[in-house]
Amino acid sequence: MSHTLKQAIRKACRGTTVAPTLAAVLLASIGTGVQAQEEEEVVVTGIRASLDQSMDIKRNSTAVVDAITAEDIGKFPDKNVAESLSRITGVGVSREYGEGEKIVVRGASPETNRTLLNGQTVASADWFILDTPGRSFNYTLLPSVLVGNLEVYKSPYASMDEGSIGGTVVLRTRKPLNLESNTINVSVEGQYSETSEEMEPQISGLYSFKNDDETFGVLLSGVHQERTLVREGIEILGWRTQETTGEKVVSHIGVPRFEQSRERDTVFGSVQYAPTDSLDITLNALKSKMEADNHNQNWLIMPNNDYAEIENKVVENGNVLAGTVTDGATEFDFINRRSSSETQSIDLDVTYTADALTVHGQIGSTKAEGGTYREASFSALPIGVTRYDFDLRGTPEVNTYTEGFDDDMGASNPEAFAPGWIWGGKKPTTDEETYAQLDFTIPLEMGAFTAIRTGVKLRDAERTQDRVAFSWHGPNTTDPSQTDAGSYLDYVFQTCTTLATCGLGVGSPESIDVLANGNMTYQMYQDQEAFERVAFEGLDGIPADYARSLNLPEIWSVQEKHTALYVQGDFESEKFRGNIGVRLVSTDQTSGGYDFYDPVNGGFLTIDREWLVPVYAEWKEIENDYKKFLPSFNLAYDLTDSQVFRTSAARVMARQNWNDIASTSSFGSLNQVAPEGSYSNPYLDPQVADQLDLAWEWYFAESSMLSATYFFKKVNSYRTYESFYEPRFNEETDEFVDVKFNKPVNGEGGTTNGLELSYQQDFGGFGTVVNYTYTDAGSDQERDDMIAGSGLVEGTSEHMLNLTGYYENDSVSARLMYNYRSEWYKGLHFNGDELWNDTYGQWDASVSYNVTDYMTLSLEAVNLLDEEIVEYNTDKARVMSLYQNGRRFVAGIQVKF
């Protein structure tokens, strides 16, 4: 056997163990390639090579799998991994802040799909204070340059981690022994965003070394990215039903401007040692941190509070869509947050192969911290009487007029506003998991069975949330020898009689660039540094001070201990291949939170001075446990040399969202009529589904494929909600308010039917990839308008479509891509309303030019047509938000050696 072939076999044997047949497939293809190389050297690179590799993974898998492969380092089709996933049949992506963050698979919501890095969990903690900790993975934390390929498993193996209803995404990083020694890859890019009008850097680098014997290798890579994110729009913070008339009227209408400075640094390292063909040891380490400081301003009117005073009212289908109020409730909020998110993982993977047995072991840990670590928010009120009008039909129009000031100036004059309240706090979250697994593969010659696989996996996970409220009106926040103000908040009110007095409203008034008309879009800008100096440093020689209190209802932890045992039989003959097995999963869950009685203050415990103390408060833990039996079967049958038929059947499960099984509660603004909030439920059972897949694939020409897949899921229980009322204390008005809480419970089940169609063909330089997914998901629960979320299935778009056209030659590579999904239900808004996302479609494009074999220039355009993101409350007339995230352009140069 030649030395080259030995090296090829060694590389093939160092593949991952998640897809059992993948190593054999690569081995066969490499062996064939070496033989062909002796006759004629044919090298396929670029887009076509990536598509070919992805198509080969799909064709040779025993399961229902789709894949995306980067043909070279940094050559993933998108800068964002979630955007790339959206090109796969059955996968949809959310783009709330202009780039892909979370995915749905075959109509299953983000929290019911798992993402694994090299076969293991990656801890994730969001930066946004309004996010609830869930099980979905935030893809903004992982730059695509680190990923070699990804696979979406839509049918499971018994040997694969449980936890997904729709599909499991497996991301794979590169290994040093699979790269040429002293590989160097450096990319420098600049990204321009229309909304921020900023050009910002994105820099990545990779170095890989291996010794001459190819037994030891080291890979190091790093990424630095900066982005100023600006999002402007119009939003409605809830629709409320009037008891007297049954009409629905908006609680708040706002014209917000959100700005965030994102700075992300990611480092990945891999050390691989393979002293013999039988032993492979790989140690991977990842650390990624994103600074996400942000501020938001929002000029608000409150028609629900002023319902009795609305004149010229326009009502359509029971919705109050237009009206005028002569003396209304208004508020200008300025929100300033210091936020970040950080994740790290370390993983040791060992595989030993002998003639009679293959042993694989993996051990590691992952940890994430994130959230808002300091918030200071100001509420400003108009000095004079303010009237307003609104019209939400078609393109919304909103206007305000304050007595004594220029009517055409809207909210642009700092002298027209005085500070009304200051609030703030912090909300950090953590996510941790340690794991260990041991897998055995025993070769067999027993009829069609070729191997038995068995193993055990242990996982110990914990998710926590803390919540501290800052109160500038608390006791002893001023020194009586310095001021006669009763609190620091009172002192700010005395000193800053208007926003102009203390320089809090600054800049030339500008029109907020939103999909709306009217003078509410014409606003002053806040000075974030000035606001934070007042809140945290002091004002005119008086030092800032505030009471710190635990917000007991929002503090919680959830611990889970998972034990999984499996056995799987692999079978293969000349015409068919597959596996059959079962996975037994045991989960022990402990949900902790505060049990308290506090009829005076509503659950606040002051920790830095004597002030707010509940009558009773004690940490309480609630235990829950369950076991699930998860059988699976996969079969691939070669109808002809070019056609494959597949079928698979399995029982799958997804654990409930961390926040839903905690012991916690939260609520929205109390300065409105009929406020709402949410409760958790530690006794929720996991979601379980029985699924069936039938697939046909035709590989009719080189680099070409046509496929159709029917999928069916019978879900045993969807999450639904029950409602009840509890009082909560409003610090600003010093009174209790009744809040309607929605609590998740296990409801009735339902079914999901769908069809995936995919077409791919290369025409010699030109090519196309087209796929379409139809999903029909329904709940057995009857629709009841009085029960939020009843009869609805989260995350499901009935239609999803992807179009890709490409052209490439030796020098130029270009793609034009379109991604579309029809409307989908997103779950309950933080205020308790049902939230839907309207139909969304986006065009993207990329082009690259190979200057030399070592240098490439690239240009990428994202959201070419500046599409609108529209959210609504069940009835499309009840708009919840309108946003445009703007276009982004990325230009760069890549050098490799």
Side-chain angles (χ1 to χ4, degrees):
M1 185 181 294
S2 70
H3 178 67
T4 303
L5 183 55
K6 284 183 179 178
Q7 290 180 335
I9 292 173
R10 177 177 289 180
K11 289 180 180 179
C13 290
R14 291 172 188 153
T16 179
T17 61
V18 174
T21 62
L22 183 56
V25 171
L26 292 176
L27 175 58
S29 64
I30 290 171
T32 303
V34 171
Q35 182 179 359
Q37 193 174 39
E38 296 175 358
E39 302 173 4
E40 182 180 359
E41 184 77 19
V42 178
V43 180
V44 179
T45 62
I47 296 173
R48 180 178 160 185
S50 298
L51 293 174
D52 283 352
Q53 292 175 38
S54 300
M55 190 171 64
D56 287 344
I57 292 173
K58 179 181 181 71
R59 181 174 187 173
N60 294 298
S61 174
T62 56
V64 179
V65 176
D66 285 294
I68 297 177
T69 304
E71 174 266 336
D72 200 355
I73 299 166
K75 292 294 184 68
F76 229 62
D78 300 273
K79 302 300 179 189
N80 178 285
V81 177
E83 297 286 354
S84 293
L85 280 166
S86 72
R87 318 291 178 197
I88 288 178
T89 54
V91 179
V93 63
S94 63
R95 298 182 175 89
E96 278 80 0
Y97 289 91
E99 61 179 317
E101 291 193 10
K102 300 174 182 179
I103 65 165
V104 298
V105 182
R106 289 181 164 181
S109 57
E111 61 268 18
T112 61
N113 302 298
R114 290 194 67 197
T115 296
L116 307 177
L117 182 65
N118 296 321
Q120 304 298 336
T121 301
V122 179
S124 177
D126 287 330
W127 54 267
F128 191 36
I129 197 170
L130 296 180
D131 276 345
T132 55
R135 297 187 189 269
S136 58
F137 180 72
N138 189 335
Y139 282 90
T140 61
L141 292 175
L142 191 66
S144 65
V145 70
L146 300 182
V147 180
N149 79 303
L150 63 83
E151 295 155 15
V152 181
Y153 286 82
K154 300 172 182 177
S155 67
Y157 300 138
S159 54
M160 180 182 295
D161 272 16
E162 77 287 344
S164 299
I165 292 289
T168 299
V169 180
V170 180
L171 308 174
R172 306 187 197 282
T173 56
R174 300 180 186 277
K175 289 188 172 184
L177 294 185
N178 291 338
L179 297 174
E180 296 295 328
S181 186
N182 294 314
T183 294
I184 297 175
N185 191 290
V186 177
S187 175
V188 178
E189 298 173 321
Q191 176 174 264
Y192 175 79
S193 174
E194 275 191 337
T195 54
S196 67
E197 299 181 343
E198 297 279 353
M199 175 69 81
E200 293 163 305
Q202 298 184 153
I203 303 169
S204 65
L206 178 145
Y207 172 73
S208 184
F209 162 82
K210 64 182 176 183
N211 62 4
D212 293 338
D213 293 333
E214 298 192 3
T215 59
F216 177 77
V218 177
L219 181 151
L220 293 173
S221 62
V223 181
H224 174 78
Q225 297 173 315
E226 296 179 17
R227 183 187 174 195
T228 300
L229 189 155
V230 174
R231 189 175 75 159
E232 299 174 330
I234 184 168
E235 60 184 22
I236 282 81
L237 301 182
W239 289 80
R240 297 291 172 259
T241 302
Q242 302 301 310
E243 293 184 2
T244 54
T245 63
E247 294 176 348
K248 289 185 175 292
V249 62
V250 292
S251 61
H252 300 69
I253 302 175
V255 180
R257 183 182 191 275
F258 174 89
E259 182 172 337
Q260 181 181 53
S261 175
R262 291 186 176 184
E263 185 171 325
R264 179 173 61 190
D265 291 292
T266 304
V267 178
F268 174 78
S270 180
V271 178
Q272 188 177 9
Y273 178 55
T276 68
D277 291 343
S278 300
L279 180 63
D280 187 298
I281 303 172
T282 304
L283 178 67
N284 292 320
L286 169 74
K287 184 170 184 178
S288 181
K289 182 172 183 178
M290 183 171 73
E291 299 291 346
D293 294 344
N294 58 92
H295 61 265
N296 185 50
Q297 62 183 64
N298 200 357
W299 176 217
L300 296 156
I301 60 176
M302 307 178 191
N304 184 53
N305 286 21
D306 302 321
Y307 176 71
E309 311 300 325
I310 298 177
E311 301 173 351
N312 305 317
K313 186 166 59 176
V314 176
V315 182
E316 295 182 2
N317 297 322
N319 304 314
V320 178
L321 301 182
T324 302
V325 175
T326 56
D327 184 4
T330 59
E331 185 176 301
F332 205 162
D333 288 343
F334 302 93
I335 300 170
N336 305 284
R337 301 179 178 124
R338 301 294 176 178
S339 306
S340 65
S341 181
E342 179 177 353
T343 186
Q344 58 187 21
S345 298
I346 187 164
D347 174 80
L348 177 65
D349 188 308
V350 181
T351 301
Y352 175 76
T353 303
D355 292 338
L357 180 71
T358 296
V359 181
H360 169 255
Q362 208 164 351
I363 187 170
S365 66
T366 180
K367 180 179 180 179
E369 299 176 346
T372 294
Y373 293 93
R374 194 181 77 179
E375 177 188 30
S377 300
F378 287 68
S379 172
L381 301 176
I383 292 175
V385 173
T386 300
R387 63 186 176 92
Y388 62 80
D389 61 67
F390 64 95
D391 190 340
L392 301 179
R393 296 169 296 176
T395 300
E397 180 170 350
V398 282
N399 294 283
T400 59
Y401 312 94
T402 300
E403 284 186 1
F405 297 92
D406 189 342
D407 285 349
D408 294 331
M409 296 296 285
S412 63
N413 190 345
E415 295 181 353
F417 293 89
W421 191 253
I422 305 176
W423 79 95
K426 62 180 181 178
K427 183 184 174 184
T429 65
T430 67
D431 183 13
E432 292 186 61
E433 180 175 312
T434 57
Y435 56 84
Q437 73 178 72
L438 189 61
D439 307 288
F440 300 91
T441 302
I442 305 170
L444 284 180
E445 293 183 5
M446 185 183 297
F449 281 93
T450 58
I452 291 292
R453 299 175 185 272
T454 186
V456 59
K457 183 164 188 177
L458 306 176
R459 296 166 53 205
D460 193 343
E462 182 177 19
R463 201 77 151 94
T464 70
Q465 177 177 289
D466 197 8
R467 192 70 165 104
V468 178
F470 299 164
S471 301
W472 284 265
H473 66 290
N476 304 317
T477 52
T478 55
D479 184 345
S481 66
Q482 294 180 307
T483 176
D484 59 357
S487 68
Y488 184 70
L489 180 66
D490 292 333
Y491 172 73
V492 172
F493 288 172
Q494 290 178 6
T495 307
C496 302
T497 54
T498 71
L499 296 185
T501 306
C502 294
L504 302 178
V506 298
S508 301
E510 295 188 24
S511 178
I512 304 297
D513 187 12
V514 299
L515 300 168
N517 299 319
N519 69 13
M520 274 187 70
T521 65
Y522 199 64
Q523 299 178 13
M524 61 181 157
Y525 287 166
Q526 67 155 319
D527 186 330
Q528 181 176 10
E529 293 185 359
F531 272 109
E532 292 186 324
R533 280 196 302 270
V534 171
F536 297 110
E537 297 179 20
L539 178 64
D540 292 350
I542 302 298
D545 192 18
Y546 48 90
R548 299 160 181 82
S549 303
L550 300 180
N551 188 352
L552 300 183
E554 295 189 43
I555 299 173
W556 56 265
S557 73
V558 178
Q559 296 176 325
E560 288 182 341
K561 295 184 181 295
H562 307 150
T563 302
L565 303 169
Y566 75 88
V567 61
Q568 175 182 309
D570 295 348
F571 55 83
E572 185 174 358
S573 76
E574 183 179 352
K575 290 292 238 180
F576 64 84
R577 60 195 178 277
N579 55 67
I580 185 170
V582 64
R583 190 175 185 90
L584 177 63
V585 180
S586 173
T587 302
D588 294 319
Q589 170 193 308
T590 303
S591 301
Y594 279 100
D595 181 25
F596 63 90
Y597 174 65
D598 191 1
V600 178
N601 302 308
F604 289 96
L605 173 61
T606 305
I607 56 177
D608 68 336
R609 66 199 70 202
E610 294 184 2
W611 189 27
L612 307 177
V613 180
V615 175
Y616 164 83
E618 182 180 4
W619 185 262
K620 182 178 180 181
E621 293 184 342
I622 300 173
E623 295 186 350
N624 189 20
D625 63 82
Y626 48 86
K627 292 179 175 64
K628 297 300 175 184
F629 185 76
L630 307 174
S632 61
F633 170 75
N634 292 279
L635 172 68
Y637 183 83
D638 295 327
L639 298 171
T640 67
D641 289 343
S642 60
Q643 296 185 53
V644 180
F645 169 77
R646 299 182 192 278
T647 184
S648 69
R651 173 164 291 180
V652 293
M653 64 166 283
R655 297 176 177 89
Q656 299 285 353
N657 243 358
W658 295 105
N659 188 74
D660 289 335
I661 58 174
S663 182
T664 180
S665 64
S666 61
F667 48 89
S669 171
L670 298 178
N671 293 330
Q672 59 173 308
V673 177
E676 295 194 11
S678 62
Y679 246 89
S680 298
N681 181 3
Y683 295 107
L684 279 176
D685 290 328
Q687 192 176 88
V688 176
D690 295 321
Q691 67 176 45
L692 173 70
D693 288 87
L694 300 172
W696 169 77
E697 299 159 11
W698 180 26
Y699 301 90
F700 58 88
E702 188 175 356
S703 304
S704 303
M705 176 193 70
L706 181 65
S707 69
T709 303
Y710 167 77
F711 59 90
F712 169 83
K713 297 179 188 292
K714 175 62 178 175
V715 181
N716 72 334
S717 174
Y718 283 116
R719 180 182 55 199
T720 187
Y721 295 87
E722 61 182 20
S723 300
F724 57 92
Y725 286 87
E726 280 189 359
R728 287 294 183 265
F729 184 69
N730 187 338
E731 286 187 284
E732 190 170 346
T733 60
D734 198 30
E735 63 183 3
F736 276 88
V737 178
D738 284 334
V739 177
K740 179 183 178 183
F741 284 96
N742 297 300
K743 178 180 179 179
V745 295
N746 290 109
E748 297 183 52
T751 58
T752 298
N753 288 274
L755 180 65
E756 296 174 342
L757 302 175
S758 184
Y759 164 68
Q760 174 181 323
Q761 188 165 6
D762 183 82
F763 299 98
F766 292 93
T768 186
V769 180
V770 180
N771 63 63
Y772 165 78
T773 304
Y774 169 78
T775 307
D776 178 19
S779 171
D780 296 334
Q781 182 184 25
E782 292 187 9
R783 179 70 173 142
D784 185 346
D785 291 338
M786 301 303 295
I787 301 176
S790 61
L792 299 177
V793 179
E794 294 181 29
T796 301
S797 290
E798 187 173 9
H799 305 284
M800 294 194 294
L801 174 69
N802 287 288
L803 305 173
T804 299
Y806 67 86
Y807 168 78
E808 68 177 350
N809 56 31
D810 292 340
S811 300
V812 177
S813 176
R815 301 182 206 234
L816 181 63
M817 299 167 284
Y818 177 69
N819 175 257
Y820 166 89
R821 64 183 298 197
S822 58
E823 62 191 22
W824 68 96
Y825 173 56
K826 303 177 75 170
L828 297 188
H829 192 270
F830 66 81
N831 61 25
D833 284 352
E834 295 172 348
L835 185 65
W836 290 74
N837 205 111
D838 206 355
T839 295
Y840 184 84
Q842 178 172 304
W843 286 95
D844 305 314
S846 64
V847 61
S848 64
Y849 174 69
N850 298 323
V851 181
T852 68
D853 290 341
Y854 308 103
M855 181 184 296
T856 301
L857 303 178
S858 63
L859 178 65
E860 179 179 331
V862 180
N863 193 15
L864 279 168
L865 301 183
D866 193 13
E867 299 291 345
E868 303 174 7
I869 296 179
V870 180
E871 294 178 322
Y872 60 91
N873 169 228
T874 308
D875 183 341
K876 288 190 176 184
R878 295 199 294 271
V879 175
M880 292 290 283
S881 68
L882 296 169
Y883 288 110
Q884 280 182 301
N885 288 316
R887 302 173 183 86
R888 286 185 289 126
F889 302 92
V890 182
I893 180 171
Q894 183 184 54
V895 179
K896 60 181 180 180
F897 303 98

